[in-house]
Amino acid sequence: MSEDIYQDVFSSFRGEEGELISILLRVQERIGYISEEAVMRISRFLRLSENQVYGVASFFSRFRFDAPGKTSIKVCMGTACHVHGGSLLADAVGWDLGITYGQATPDRRFDFQRANCLGCCTLAPVVEINEQIQSRVLVTKLKETMNRREEF
Ligand code: FES
């Protein structure tokens, strides 16, 4: 990872402990996850131990510690989607890819996340594939899409 990215992120902060979450968010925005190098660099910048940085980051489910996959699949698990079968869709994706949400496939082709609400509840259940909303998704339709994975 380029030195410049961290320098660039740190340049907006004063190096105070209270800035940890904001820095973690900014780093994840830039590189997609919190790498070992990121933990080390942040710990030096804030004069905290790496365990302290990792401990705070791992407390929040929004931080991830492995590189994201190329094709992003987000299954909405908000209330409207949940009652319309969102968990069945999540099970289908997880089963098909052999991973659970929060993970990428070992070849980094797919990334599986769940969302709390994607903002289009009337179209529930909703799945977002590479930032494109798929509405009123059925497990069979999703499986067809997953089977065409070469297209991604
Ligand atoms: S609950 Fe799924 S889009 Fe709102």
Side-chain angles (χ1 to χ4, degrees):
M1 186 50 53
S2 164
E3 184 96 1
D4 295 337
I5 287 172
Y6 294 104
Q7 287 302 331
D8 191 38
V9 168
F10 297 157
S11 68
S12 312
F13 297 93
R14 289 184 295 230
E16 296 170 0
E17 190 176 336
E19 297 171 322
L20 175 55
I21 302 283
S22 301
I23 292 171
L24 286 165
L25 287 168
R26 198 76 65 83
V27 167
Q28 183 160 285
E29 216 175 85
R30 295 288 294 272
I31 64 173
Y33 69 115
I34 306 298
S35 64
E36 283 182 29
E37 183 184 6
V39 170
M40 185 263 291
R41 295 291 307 274
I42 294 168
S43 76
R44 285 189 190 162
F45 178 65
L46 296 179
R47 293 174 303 282
L48 297 170
S49 73
E50 291 181 25
N51 280 344
Q52 286 174 298
V53 172
Y54 180 76
V56 169
S58 62
F59 180 78
F60 297 99
S61 60
R62 71 178 304 154
F63 294 116
R64 60 181 301 156
F65 301 95
D66 61 340
K70 185 171 158 260
T71 297
S72 162
I73 300 172
K74 282 185 195 163
V75 177
C76 185
M77 297 294 285
T79 305
C81 289
H82 181 72
V83 300
H84 285 92
S87 58
L88 294 174
L89 296 173
D91 288 348
V93 173
W95 183 260
D96 196 61
L97 297 178
I99 54 176
T100 188
Y101 60 85
Q103 296 181 329
T105 52
D107 62 4
R108 301 272 166 227
R109 286 185 64 205
F110 294 94
D111 197 73
F112 176 25
Q113 301 293 320
R114 34 187 262 182
N116 291 327
C117 177
L118 291 169
C120 40
C121 309
T122 56
L123 304 175
V126 168
V127 175
E128 185 186 276
I129 299 179
N130 284 342
E131 300 187 3
Q132 288 199 323
I133 294 289
Q134 317 279 318
S135 60
R136 297 190 180 96
V137 179
L138 302 171
V139 170
T140 49
K141 183 178 161 196
L142 183 60
K143 280 187 167 284
E144 277 173 29
T145 306
M146 300 297 297
N147 287 336
R148 293 194 318 261
R149 62 181 66 173
E150 312 75 47
E151 295 173 16
F152 295 115

